[in-house]
Coordinates of all heavy atoms in Angstrom, one line a residue:
M289 N 24.9 126.9 171.7 CA 25.2 128.3 171.5 C 24.0 129.1 172.1 O 22.9 128.8 172.0 CB 25.3 128.6 170.0 CG 25.8 130.0 169.7 SD 27.4 130.4 170.3 CE 27.5 132.1 170.2
S290 N 24.4 130.1 172.9 CA 23.4 131.0 173.6 C 22.8 131.9 172.6 O 23.4 132.4 171.7 CB 24.1 131.8 174.7 OG 24.9 131.0 175.5
S291 N 21.5 132.3 172.9 CA 20.9 133.3 172.1 C 21.3 134.7 172.6 O 22.0 134.8 173.6 CB 19.3 133.2 172.2 OG 19.0 133.2 173.5
E292 N 20.9 135.7 171.9 CA 21.3 137.0 172.3 C 20.8 137.5 173.6 O 19.6 137.2 174.0 CB 20.9 138.0 171.2 CG 21.7 139.3 171.1 CD 21.4 140.1 169.9 OE1 21.4 139.5 168.8 OE2 21.1 141.3 170.1
A293 N 21.6 138.1 174.4 CA 21.2 138.5 175.8 C 20.5 139.9 175.7 O 20.7 140.6 174.7 CB 22.5 138.7 176.7
P294 N 19.7 140.2 176.6 CA 19.0 141.5 176.7 C 20.1 142.6 176.7 O 21.2 142.4 177.1 CB 18.2 141.5 178.0 CG 17.9 140.1 178.2 CD 19.1 139.3 177.7
D295 N 19.6 143.9 176.3 CA 20.5 145.0 176.3 C 21.4 145.1 177.6 O 20.8 145.1 178.7 CB 19.7 146.3 176.1 CG 19.3 146.5 174.6 OD1 19.7 145.7 173.8 OD2 18.6 147.4 174.4
G296 N 22.7 145.3 177.4 CA 23.5 145.5 178.6 C 24.0 144.3 179.3 O 24.9 144.3 180.1
W297 N 23.4 143.1 179.0 CA 23.7 141.9 179.6 C 24.6 141.1 178.7 O 24.5 141.1 177.5 CB 22.4 141.0 179.9 CG 21.5 141.7 180.9 CD1 20.7 142.7 180.7 CD2 21.4 141.4 182.3 NE1 20.0 143.1 181.9 CE2 20.5 142.3 182.9 CE3 22.0 140.5 183.2 CZ2 20.1 142.3 184.2 CZ3 21.7 140.4 184.5 CH2 20.7 141.3 185.0
T298 N 25.6 140.3 179.4 CA 26.5 139.5 178.6 C 26.5 138.1 179.2 O 26.3 137.9 180.4 CB 27.9 140.0 178.6 OG1 28.3 140.3 179.9 CG2 28.0 141.3 177.8
Y299 N 26.7 137.1 178.4 CA 26.9 135.7 178.9 C 28.2 135.5 179.5 O 29.2 136.1 179.1 CB 26.7 134.8 177.7 CG 25.2 134.5 177.4 CD1 24.6 135.3 176.4 CD2 24.5 133.5 178.0 CE1 23.3 135.1 176.1 CE2 23.2 133.3 177.7 CZ 22.6 134.1 176.7 OH 21.2 133.9 176.4
E300 N 28.3 134.7 180.6 CA 29.6 134.3 181.1 C 29.5 132.8 181.5 O 28.4 132.2 181.4 CB 30.0 135.2 182.3 CG 29.1 135.0 183.5 CD 29.8 135.6 184.8 OE1 30.6 136.5 184.7 OE2 29.5 135.0 185.9
D301 N 30.6 132.3 182.0 CA 30.6 130.9 182.4 C 30.2 130.0 181.3 O 29.4 129.0 181.5 CB 29.7 130.6 183.6 CG 30.3 131.2 184.9 OD1 31.5 131.6 184.9 OD2 29.6 131.2 185.9
G302 N 30.7 130.2 180.1 CA 30.3 129.4 178.9 C 28.8 129.3 178.6 O 28.3 128.3 178.2
G303 N 28.1 130.5 178.9 CA 26.7 130.6 178.6 C 25.8 130.1 179.7 O 24.6 130.1 179.6
K304 N 26.4 129.8 180.9 CA 25.6 129.3 182.0 C 24.9 130.5 182.8 O 24.0 130.2 183.6 CB 26.5 128.6 183.0 CG 26.8 127.2 182.6 CD 27.3 126.4 183.8 CE 27.3 124.9 183.6 NZ 28.3 124.5 182.6
A305 N 25.3 131.7 182.6 CA 24.7 132.8 183.3 C 24.8 134.1 182.4 O 25.6 134.2 181.5 CB 25.5 133.1 184.6
I306 N 23.9 135.1 182.8 CA 24.1 136.4 182.2 C 24.4 137.4 183.3 O 23.9 137.2 184.4 CB 22.8 136.8 181.3 CG1 21.5 136.7 182.1 CG2 22.8 136.1 180.0 CD1 20.3 137.2 181.4
V307 N 25.2 138.4 183.0 CA 25.6 139.3 184.0 C 25.5 140.8 183.5 O 25.5 141.0 182.3 CB 27.1 139.1 184.4 CG1 27.2 137.7 185.1 CG2 28.0 139.3 183.3
R308 N 25.2 141.7 184.5 CA 25.2 143.1 184.1 C 25.6 143.9 185.3 O 25.1 143.6 186.5 CB 23.9 143.5 183.6 CG 23.9 145.0 183.2 CD 22.7 145.5 182.4 NE 22.9 146.9 182.2 CZ 22.0 147.7 181.5 NH1 20.8 147.2 181.1 NH2 22.3 149.0 181.4
T309 N 26.3 145.0 185.1 CA 26.6 146.0 186.2 C 25.8 147.2 186.0 O 25.7 147.7 184.9 CB 28.1 146.3 186.1 OG1 28.9 145.2 186.4 CG2 28.5 147.4 187.1
F310 N 25.2 147.8 187.1 CA 24.6 149.1 187.1 C 25.3 150.0 188.0 O 25.7 149.6 189.1 CB 23.1 148.9 187.6 CG 22.2 148.2 186.6 CD1 22.1 146.8 186.7 CD2 21.5 148.9 185.6 CE1 21.2 146.1 185.8 CE2 20.7 148.2 184.7 CZ 20.5 146.8 184.8
K311 N 25.5 151.2 187.6 CA 26.1 152.3 188.4 C 25.2 153.4 188.7 O 24.4 153.8 187.8 CB 27.4 152.7 187.8 CG 28.5 151.8 188.0 CD 29.9 152.4 187.7 CE 31.0 151.5 188.2 NZ 32.3 152.0 187.8
F312 N 25.2 154.0 189.9 CA 24.3 155.0 190.3 C 25.1 156.2 190.9 O 26.3 156.1 191.0 CB 23.3 154.5 191.3 CG 22.5 153.3 190.7 CD1 22.9 152.0 190.8 CD2 21.3 153.6 190.1 CE1 22.2 151.0 190.3 CE2 20.6 152.6 189.5 CZ 21.0 151.3 189.6
K313 N 24.3 157.2 191.2 CA 24.9 158.5 191.7 C 25.6 158.2 193.1 O 26.7 158.7 193.4 CB 23.8 159.5 191.9 CG 24.1 160.8 192.6 CD 23.0 161.8 192.5 CE 21.8 161.5 193.3 NZ 21.9 161.8 194.8
D314 N 25.0 157.4 193.9 CA 25.5 157.1 195.2 C 24.9 155.8 195.8 O 24.2 155.1 195.1 CB 25.2 158.3 196.2 CG 23.7 158.6 196.3 OD1 22.9 157.7 195.9 OD2 23.4 159.8 196.6
F315 N 25.3 155.5 197.0 CA 24.8 154.3 197.7 C 23.3 154.2 197.8 O 22.7 153.1 197.6 CB 25.5 154.1 199.0 CG 25.0 152.9 199.8 CD1 25.4 151.6 199.4 CD2 24.1 153.0 200.8 CE1 25.0 150.5 200.1 CE2 23.6 151.9 201.5 CZ 24.1 150.7 201.1
S316 N 22.7 155.3 198.1 CA 21.3 155.4 198.4 C 20.5 155.0 197.1 O 19.5 154.2 197.1 CB 20.9 156.8 198.9 OG 19.5 156.8 199.1
E317 N 20.9 155.5 196.0 CA 20.3 155.2 194.7 C 20.5 153.8 194.3 O 19.6 153.1 193.9 CB 20.9 156.1 193.6 CG 20.6 157.6 193.7 CD 19.2 158.0 193.3 OE1 18.7 157.3 192.3 OE2 18.7 158.9 193.9
A318 N 21.7 153.3 194.6 CA 22.0 151.9 194.2 C 21.2 150.9 195.1 O 20.6 149.9 194.6 CB 23.5 151.6 194.5
F319 N 21.1 151.2 196.4 CA 20.3 150.4 197.3 C 18.8 150.4 197.1 O 18.1 149.4 197.2 CB 20.7 150.7 198.8 CG 20.3 149.6 199.7 CD1 21.1 148.5 199.8 CD2 19.1 149.7 200.4 CE1 20.8 147.5 200.7 CE2 18.8 148.6 201.3 CZ 19.6 147.5 201.4
G320 N 18.3 151.6 196.7 CA 16.9 151.8 196.4 C 16.6 150.9 195.2 O 15.6 150.2 195.1
F321 N 17.4 150.9 194.2 CA 17.2 150.1 193.0 C 17.3 148.6 193.3 O 16.4 147.8 192.9 CB 18.3 150.4 191.9 CG 18.3 149.6 190.7 CD1 17.3 149.7 189.8 CD2 19.3 148.7 190.5 CE1 17.3 148.9 188.6 CE2 19.3 147.9 189.3 CZ 18.3 148.0 188.4
L322 N 18.2 148.2 194.1 CA 18.4 146.8 194.5 C 17.1 146.4 195.3 O 16.6 145.3 195.1 CB 19.6 146.7 195.4 CG 20.2 145.3 195.7 CD1 20.3 144.5 194.5 CD2 21.5 145.5 196.4
S323 N 16.6 147.3 196.1 CA 15.3 146.9 196.9 C 14.2 146.7 195.9 O 13.4 145.8 196.1 CB 15.0 148.1 197.8 OG 16.0 148.3 198.7
R324 N 14.1 147.5 194.9 CA 13.0 147.3 193.9 C 13.2 146.0 193.1 O 12.2 145.3 192.9 CB 12.9 148.5 193.0 CG 12.3 149.8 193.6 CD 12.1 150.9 192.7 NE 13.3 151.6 192.2 CZ 14.0 152.5 192.9 NH1 13.5 152.9 194.1 NH2 15.1 153.0 192.4
V325 N 14.4 145.7 192.8 CA 14.7 144.4 192.2 C 14.3 143.2 193.1 O 13.8 142.2 192.6 CB 16.2 144.3 191.7 CG1 16.5 142.9 191.2 CG2 16.5 145.4 190.6
A326 N 14.6 143.4 194.4 CA 14.3 142.3 195.3 C 12.8 142.0 195.4 O 12.4 140.9 195.4 CB 14.8 142.7 196.7
L327 N 12.0 143.1 195.4 CA 10.6 142.9 195.4 C 10.1 142.3 194.2 O 9.2 141.4 194.2 CB 9.9 144.3 195.6 CG 10.1 145.0 197.0 CD1 9.5 146.4 197.0 CD2 9.5 144.1 198.1
L328 N 10.6 142.7 193.0 CA 10.3 142.1 191.8 C 10.7 140.6 191.8 O 9.9 139.7 191.3 CB 11.0 142.8 190.6 CG 11.1 142.1 189.3 CD1 9.7 142.1 188.7 CD2 12.0 142.9 188.4
A329 N 11.8 140.3 192.3 CA 12.3 138.9 192.3 C 11.4 138.0 193.1 O 11.1 136.8 192.7 CB 13.7 138.8 192.9
E330 N 10.9 138.5 194.2 CA 10.0 137.7 195.0 C 8.7 137.5 194.3 O 8.1 136.4 194.3 CB 9.7 138.5 196.4 CG 10.6 138.1 197.5 CD 10.5 136.7 197.9 OE1 9.7 136.4 198.8 OE2 11.3 135.8 197.3
K331 N 8.2 138.5 193.6 CA 7.0 138.5 192.9 C 7.0 137.4 191.8 O 6.1 136.6 191.6 CB 6.7 139.8 192.3 CG 5.3 140.0 191.8 CD 5.0 141.5 191.5 CE 4.2 141.7 190.3 NZ 4.2 143.1 189.8
V332 N 8.1 137.3 191.1 CA 8.2 136.3 190.0 C 8.9 135.0 190.4 O 9.1 134.1 189.6 CB 9.0 136.9 188.8 CG1 8.2 138.1 188.3 CG2 10.4 137.3 189.1
D333 N 9.3 134.9 191.7 CA 10.0 133.8 192.3 C 11.2 133.4 191.5 O 11.4 132.2 191.1 CB 9.0 132.6 192.4 CG 9.6 131.5 193.2 OD1 10.4 131.7 194.1 OD2 9.2 130.3 193.0
H334 N 12.0 134.4 191.1 CA 13.3 134.1 190.5 C 14.2 135.2 191.0 O 13.9 136.4 190.9 CB 13.1 134.2 188.9 CG 14.2 133.5 188.2 ND1 14.3 132.1 188.3 CD2 15.2 133.9 187.4 CE1 15.3 131.7 187.5 NE2 15.9 132.8 187.0
H335 N 15.4 134.8 191.5 CA 16.2 135.6 192.3 C 17.6 135.8 191.8 O 18.3 134.8 191.6 CB 16.3 135.1 193.7 CG 14.9 134.9 194.4 ND1 14.2 133.7 194.1 CD2 14.1 135.7 195.1 CE1 13.0 133.8 194.8 NE2 13.0 135.0 195.4
P336 N 18.0 137.0 191.5 CA 19.4 137.2 191.0 C 20.4 137.1 192.1 O 20.2 137.4 193.2 CB 19.3 138.7 190.5 CG 18.3 139.3 191.4 CD 17.3 138.3 191.7
E337 N 21.6 136.6 191.7 CA 22.8 136.7 192.6 C 23.2 138.2 192.4 O 23.1 138.7 191.3 CB 23.9 135.8 192.1 CG 23.5 134.3 192.2 CD 24.4 133.4 191.5 OE1 25.6 133.8 191.3 OE2 24.0 132.3 191.1
F338 N 23.7 138.8 193.5 CA 24.2 140.2 193.3 C 25.3 140.5 194.3 O 25.3 139.9 195.4 CB 23.1 141.2 193.4 CG 22.3 141.2 194.7 CD1 22.8 141.8 195.8 CD2 21.2 140.4 194.9 CE1 22.2 141.8 197.1 CE2 20.5 140.4 196.1 CZ 21.0 141.1 197.2
T339 N 26.1 141.4 193.9 CA 27.0 142.0 194.9 C 26.9 143.5 194.7 O 26.5 144.0 193.6 CB 28.5 141.6 194.6 OG1 28.9 141.9 193.3 CG2 28.7 140.1 194.9
S340 N 27.2 144.2 195.8 CA 27.1 145.7 195.7 C 28.2 146.3 196.4 O 28.6 145.9 197.5 CB 25.7 146.1 196.3 OG 25.6 147.5 196.2
V341 N 28.8 147.3 195.8 CA 29.9 148.1 196.4 C 29.5 149.6 196.2 O 29.5 150.1 195.0 CB 31.3 147.8 195.8 CG1 32.3 148.7 196.5 CG2 31.6 146.4 196.0
W342 N 29.2 150.3 197.2 CA 28.8 151.7 197.2 C 27.7 152.0 196.1 O 26.6 151.7 196.3 CB 30.0 152.7 197.0 CG 29.6 154.1 197.1 CD1 28.8 154.7 198.1 CD2 30.0 155.2 196.2 NE1 28.7 156.0 197.8 CE2 29.4 156.3 196.7 CE3 30.8 155.2 195.1 CZ2 29.5 157.6 196.0 CZ3 30.9 156.4 194.4 CH2 30.3 157.6 194.9
N343 N 28.1 152.6 194.9 CA 27.1 153.0 194.0 C 27.0 152.0 192.8 O 26.4 152.3 191.8 CB 27.5 154.4 193.4 CG 28.8 154.3 192.5 OD1 29.6 153.3 192.7 ND2 29.0 155.2 191.6
R344 N 27.5 150.8 193.0 CA 27.5 149.8 192.0 C 26.8 148.5 192.4 O 26.9 148.1 193.5 CB 29.0 149.5 191.7 CG 29.2 148.4 190.8 CD 30.7 148.2 190.6 NE 30.9 146.9 189.9 CZ 31.9 146.7 189.0 NH1 32.8 147.7 188.8 NH2 32.0 145.6 188.3
V345 N 26.0 148.0 191.5 CA 25.3 146.7 191.7 C 25.7 145.8 190.5 O 25.5 146.1 189.4 CB 23.8 146.8 191.8 CG1 23.2 145.5 192.1 CG2 23.4 147.8 192.9
D346 N 26.2 144.6 190.8 CA 26.5 143.6 189.8 C 25.5 142.4 190.0 O 25.4 141.8 191.1 CB 27.9 143.0 190.0 CG 29.0 144.1 189.9 OD1 29.1 144.7 188.8 OD2 29.7 144.4 190.9
F347 N 24.8 142.1 188.9 CA 23.9 141.0 188.9 C 24.4 139.8 188.1 O 25.1 140.0 187.1 CB 22.5 141.4 188.3 CG 21.7 142.4 189.1 CD1 21.6 143.7 188.6 CD2 21.1 142.0 190.3 CE1 20.8 144.6 189.4 CE2 20.4 142.9 191.0 CZ 20.2 144.1 190.6
R348 N 24.0 138.6 188.5 CA 24.3 137.4 187.8 C 23.0 136.6 187.8 O 22.4 136.3 188.9 CB 25.4 136.6 188.4 CG 25.8 135.3 187.7 CD 27.0 134.7 188.4 NE 27.4 133.5 187.7 CZ 26.9 132.3 187.8 NH1 26.0 132.1 188.7 NH2 27.4 131.3 187.1
L349 N 22.5 136.2 186.6 CA 21.2 135.5 186.5 C 21.5 134.1 185.9 O 22.1 134.0 184.9 CB 20.2 136.2 185.6 CG 19.7 137.6 186.1 CD1 18.8 138.2 185.1 CD2 19.0 137.4 187.4
T350 N 21.0 133.1 186.6 CA 21.0 131.7 186.1 C 19.9 131.0 186.7 O 19.3 131.4 187.8 CB 22.4 131.0 186.5 OG1 22.5 129.8 185.8 CG2 22.6 130.9 187.9
S351 N 19.5 129.9 186.1 CA 18.4 129.0 186.7 C 19.0 127.8 187.3 O 19.6 126.9 186.5 CB 17.4 128.7 185.6 OG 16.7 129.8 185.1
H352 N 19.0 127.7 188.6 CA 19.8 126.6 189.3 C 19.3 125.3 188.9 O 20.1 124.4 188.6 CB 19.6 126.8 190.8 CG 20.0 128.2 191.2 ND1 19.1 129.0 192.0 CD2 21.1 129.0 191.0 CE1 19.7 130.2 192.2 NE2 20.9 130.2 191.6
D353 N 18.0 125.1 188.8 CA 17.4 123.8 188.5 C 17.8 123.3 187.1 O 18.1 122.2 186.8 CB 15.9 123.7 188.6 CG 15.2 124.9 188.0 OD1 15.9 125.8 187.4 OD2 14.0 125.0 188.1
A354 N 17.9 124.3 186.1 CA 18.3 124.0 184.8 C 19.8 124.0 184.5 O 20.3 123.4 183.5 CB 17.6 124.9 183.8
G355 N 20.5 124.5 185.5 CA 22.0 124.6 185.3 C 22.5 125.5 184.2 O 23.5 125.4 183.7
G356 N 21.6 126.5 183.9 CA 22.0 127.5 182.9 C 21.0 128.6 182.7 O 20.1 128.7 183.5
V357 N 21.1 129.3 181.7 CA 20.2 130.4 181.4 C 18.9 129.9 180.7 O 19.0 129.1 179.8 CB 20.8 131.5 180.4 CG1 19.9 132.6 180.1 CG2 22.1 132.1 181.1
T358 N 17.8 130.3 181.3 CA 16.5 130.0 180.7 C 15.7 131.2 180.4 O 16.1 132.3 180.7 CB 15.6 129.1 181.7 OG1 15.3 129.9 182.8 CG2 16.4 127.9 182.2
E359 N 14.5 131.0 179.9 CA 13.6 132.1 179.6 C 13.3 133.0 180.9 O 13.1 134.2 180.8 CB 12.3 131.5 179.0 CG 11.4 132.6 178.4 CD 12.0 133.3 177.2 OE1 12.9 132.7 176.6 OE2 11.6 134.5 177.0
R360 N 13.3 132.3 182.0 CA 13.0 133.1 183.3 C 14.1 134.1 183.6 O 13.8 135.2 184.0 CB 13.0 132.1 184.5 CG 11.9 131.0 184.4 CD 11.9 130.1 185.6 NE 11.2 130.8 186.7 CZ 11.3 130.4 188.0 NH1 12.0 129.3 188.3 NH2 10.6 131.1 188.9
D361 N 15.4 133.8 183.2 CA 16.5 134.7 183.4 C 16.4 135.9 182.4 O 16.6 137.0 182.8 CB 17.8 134.0 183.2 CG 18.0 132.9 184.2 OD1 18.0 133.2 185.4 OD2 18.1 131.7 183.8
I362 N 16.0 135.5 181.2 CA 15.9 136.6 180.1 C 14.8 137.5 180.5 O 14.9 138.8 180.4 CB 15.6 135.9 178.8 CG1 16.7 134.9 178.4 CG2 15.4 137.0 177.7 CD1 18.1 135.6 178.2
K363 N 13.6 137.0 181.0 CA 12.5 137.8 181.4 C 12.8 138.7 182.5 O 12.5 139.9 182.6 CB 11.3 137.0 181.7 CG 10.5 136.5 180.5 CD 9.3 135.7 180.9 CE 8.5 135.2 179.7 NZ 7.5 134.2 180.0
L364 N 13.5 138.1 183.5 CA 13.9 138.9 184.7 C 14.9 140.0 184.3 O 14.8 141.2 184.8 CB 14.5 138.1 185.8 CG 14.9 138.7 187.1 CD1 13.6 139.5 187.7 CD2 15.4 137.7 188.1
A365 N 15.8 139.7 183.4 CA 16.8 140.7 183.0 C 16.1 141.9 182.3 O 16.4 143.1 182.5 CB 17.8 140.1 182.0
L366 N 15.1 141.6 181.5 CA 14.3 142.6 180.8 C 13.6 143.5 181.8 O 13.5 144.7 181.7 CB 13.4 142.0 179.8 CG 14.0 141.4 178.5 CD1 13.0 140.6 177.8 CD2 14.6 142.5 177.6
K367 N 13.0 142.9 182.8 CA 12.3 143.6 183.9 C 13.3 144.5 184.7 O 12.9 145.6 185.1 CB 11.5 142.7 184.8 CG 10.3 142.1 184.1 CD 9.5 141.2 185.0 CE 8.2 140.8 184.3 NZ 7.5 139.7 185.0
I368 N 14.5 144.0 185.0 CA 15.5 144.8 185.7 C 15.9 146.0 184.9 O 16.0 147.1 185.4 CB 16.7 143.9 186.1 CG1 16.3 142.9 187.1 CG2 17.8 144.8 186.6 CD1 17.4 141.8 187.5
N369 N 16.0 145.8 183.6 CA 16.3 146.9 182.7 C 15.2 147.9 182.7 O 15.5 149.1 182.8 CB 16.5 146.4 181.2 CG 17.8 145.7 181.0 OD1 18.7 145.7 181.8 ND2 18.0 145.3 179.7
A370 N 14.0 147.5 182.8 CA 12.8 148.4 182.8 C 12.8 149.2 184.1 O 12.6 150.4 184.2 CB 11.5 147.6 182.6
L371 N 13.1 148.5 185.3 CA 13.2 149.2 186.5 C 14.3 150.2 186.5 O 14.2 151.2 187.2 CB 13.5 148.2 187.7 CG 12.4 147.4 188.3 CD1 12.9 146.5 189.4 CD2 11.3 148.4 188.8
A372 N 15.3 150.0 185.7 CA 16.5 151.0 185.7 C 16.1 152.1 184.7 O 16.9 153.0 184.5 CB 17.7 150.3 185.2
G373 N 14.9 152.1 184.2 CA 14.4 153.2 183.4 C 14.6 153.0 181.9 O 14.5 153.9 181.1
E374 N 15.0 151.7 181.5 CA 15.2 151.4 180.1 C 13.9 150.8 179.6 O 13.2 150.2 180.4 CB 16.4 150.5 179.9 CG 17.7 151.1 180.4 CD 18.9 150.2 180.4 OE1 18.7 149.0 179.9 OE2 19.9 150.6 180.9
S375 N 13.7 150.8 178.3 CA 12.4 150.4 177.8 C 12.1 148.9 178.0 O 13.0 148.1 178.0 CB 12.3 150.7 176.3 OG 13.4 150.2 175.6
Ligands
H2B57 C1 11.0 126.8 194.1 C2 11.5 128.0 193.4 O1 10.8 128.3 192.2 C3 12.9 127.9 193.0 O2 13.7 127.5 194.2 C4 13.4 129.1 192.4 C5 13.6 130.3 193.3 N1 14.5 131.3 192.7 C6 15.4 131.0 191.8 N2 16.2 131.9 191.3 C7 17.1 131.7 190.4 N3 17.9 132.6 189.9 N4 17.2 130.4 189.9 C8 16.4 129.4 190.3 O3 16.6 128.3 189.7 C9 15.4 129.7 191.3 N5 14.6 128.8 191.7

């Protein structure tokens, strides 16, 4: 059984990943946010899967080596929330 996901994130694939969608005013805001997440991902050497359509960014976090969600995914999700202006 998976533990509770960070605010706004939900488990999918039977607990193998956590996902969250962020929406912004426009493409520029969405892409700026995505760029900040990319720099953060490089810094912590943990990289989200993502898709983006105009003002929307969808993230999926999983640890490939572990084949599921680990502490690294939970920590990155919390940092992404913080970048989005959440505590
Ligand atoms: C060697 C390096 O730590 C690994 O390849 C990292 C890189 N980024 C990663 N990102 C994610 N999301 N999952 C991983 O398992 C992962 N592994």
Side-chain angles (χ1 to χ4, degrees):
M289 189 61 196
S290 309
S291 56
E292 205 170 308
D295 282 354
W297 295 78
T298 54
Y299 280 91
E300 69 161 31
D301 288 349
K304 280 199 166 66
I306 50 173
V307 297
R308 181 171 179 182
T309 295
F310 289 90
K311 279 196 170 175
F312 300 89
K313 171 169 75 74
D314 55 23
F315 176 76
S316 183
E317 294 283 326
F319 198 79
F321 175 69
L322 194 47
S323 301
R324 289 188 286 279
V325 171
L327 294 174
L328 165 67
E330 270 296 271
K331 196 166 138 191
V332 300
D333 192 28
H334 203 64
H335 306 84
E337 298 169 22
F338 60 84
T339 56
S340 181
V341 179
W342 185 48
N343 68 338
R344 168 182 176 145
V345 182
D346 299 298
F347 290 112
R348 181 177 185 274
L349 295 177
T350 187
S351 296
H352 308 128
D353 46 1
V357 176
T358 67
E359 194 60 29
R360 300 182 79 194
D361 300 297
I362 302 299
K363 281 184 179 165
L364 184 56
L366 288 168
K367 285 181 173 168
I368 291 173
N369 282 359
L371 275 183
E374 300 172 6
S375 54

